[in-house]
Amino acid sequence: ETLASGGHVTKIDRHGKSGRGTIIQDVAAPPHICMDRIRDLKNYSKMVANLRSIEIESENTDADGNTEILSKWTVGISLVSFSYFLKLNYHAAYNTYTWHLDYSKASDMDDNIGHWQALPHPTKGPEHSRVMYSSEVKLFNWMPEFVVTFLTKGALVSSTTWVKKESEKGVTSGNT
């Protein structure tokens, strides 16, 4: 009922400096448009609140269209800024984007894993999507409480909100 009325469904678990969340949102755009927006790292800072920058360190795509990206992310909340290194993988056959920390580098968080998936909507057809986002973060004890709350709750909802907005904007403007 919540999805049918244009809302989103969330599940959030928070334990100390760690949190896990899943959010599902219906989008009035085909899955390939949603995933194009999700994979558009070069424009994230224009679309995602509190993201200061993403630096792409390397990007490799195989013959099947699967892509691995090594990147550095810098996020700022109020006067606090922190960085972390992610290894992202796009799995073309499943229209899924997964990530985890690049454990070979020192990040300002203890762990960060997650995934995106954009599927055809189960009842509205291929021109609509059901977008799922799931993330789990584990932060160091020195991280201020308001940052922990933002990363384990606020960022979860804003994560799919921007994808919905940008994907639907692409459909209405004809940029498919």
Side-chain angles (χ1 to χ4, degrees):
E1 291 175 10
T2 302
L3 291 172
S5 66
H8 55 268
V9 175
T10 60
K11 169 91 170 108
I12 300 170
D13 293 314
R14 165 96 188 271
H15 304 284
K17 298 283 182 169
S18 298
R20 173 186 317 173
T22 301
I23 187 164
I24 302 168
Q25 173 105 46
D26 288 347
V27 179
H32 74 275
I33 290 179
C34 296
M35 191 54 71
D36 286 350
R37 299 309 179 265
I38 292 166
R39 296 182 61 213
D40 187 10
L41 298 180
K42 291 176 181 153
N43 287 306
Y44 261 43
S45 61
K46 297 174 190 169
M47 299 181 289
V48 181
N50 301 304
L51 178 66
R52 296 210 174 138
S53 67
I54 298 175
E55 297 171 32
I56 306 297
E57 297 178 340
S58 69
E59 183 171 349
N60 297 301
T61 302
D62 68 19
D64 293 328
N66 300 316
T67 304
E68 179 183 87
I69 298 171
L70 299 178
S71 56
K72 178 182 179 185
W73 297 58
T74 302
V75 175
I77 303 161
S78 187
L79 299 176
V80 177
S81 177
F82 56 96
S83 297
Y84 51 97
F85 296 87
L86 292 180
K87 182 184 279 189
L88 301 110
N89 289 285
Y90 171 63
H91 310 278
Y94 303 105
N95 209 30
T96 301
Y97 205 41
T98 62
W99 69 89
H100 59 80
L101 281 185
D102 180 347
Y103 300 113
S104 70
K105 298 186 177 176
S107 291
D108 290 333
M109 59 177 59
D110 197 18
D111 209 357
N112 182 337
I113 61 172
H115 86 278
W116 283 101
Q117 188 167 34
L119 299 169
H121 193 278
T123 60
K124 294 183 181 179
E127 295 306 309
H128 293 262
S129 301
R130 179 150 289 164
V131 175
M132 292 167 275
Y133 172 86
S134 181
S135 177
E136 183 169 358
V137 296
K138 183 177 180 187
L139 304 169
F140 294 117
N141 287 333
W142 60 262
M143 193 70 69
E145 182 59 30
F146 73 94
V147 174
V148 176
T149 300
F150 168 76
L151 288 174
T152 59
K153 187 175 181 183
L156 184 67
V157 173
S158 65
S159 293
T160 57
T161 303
W162 75 263
V163 171
K164 180 177 176 64
K165 176 183 168 198
E166 295 298 326
S167 298
E168 290 176 353
K169 181 168 53 173
V171 170
T172 58
S173 67
N175 295 330
T176 55

